């Protein structure tokens, strides 16, 4: 399984991966009845324009 995720500029990659492993993949393993589910995640930061100081 390969997932591509776009992170919000305030998101912490560690928290996102922890949530993915702790909840999303755990539910997928339970629903498929397997103990181990291979997964690859590619994280990409959201691009945004710099804010100008006024």
């Amino acid at each position: 399984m390969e997932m591509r995720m776009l992170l919000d500029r305030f998101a912490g990659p560690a928290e996102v991966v922890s949530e993915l492993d702790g909840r999303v993949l755990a539910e997928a393993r339970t629903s498929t009845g397997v103990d181990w589910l291979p997964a690859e995640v590619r994280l990409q930061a959201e691009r945004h324009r710099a804010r100008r100081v006024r």
Side-chain angles (χ1 to χ4, degrees), residues 22-43:
R23 195 181 89 206
V24 177
L25 290 178
E27 289 179 14
R29 286 189 297 266
T30 301
S31 67
T32 58
V34 297
D35 294 330
W36 183 75
L37 187 63
E40 179 179 329
V41 178
R42 296 181 185 202
L43 302 177

Side-chain angles (χ1 to χ4, degrees), residues 3-37:
M3 297 180 188
R4 294 181 186 263
M5 301 174 75
L6 180 63
L7 299 182
D8 182 63
R9 62 182 167 172
F10 298 113
E15 291 85 12
V16 171
V17 171
S18 177
E19 180 71 15
L20 177 68
D21 183 47
R23 195 181 89 206
V24 177
L25 290 178
E27 289 179 14
R29 286 189 297 266
T30 301
S31 67
T32 58
V34 297
D35 294 330
W36 183 75
L37 187 63

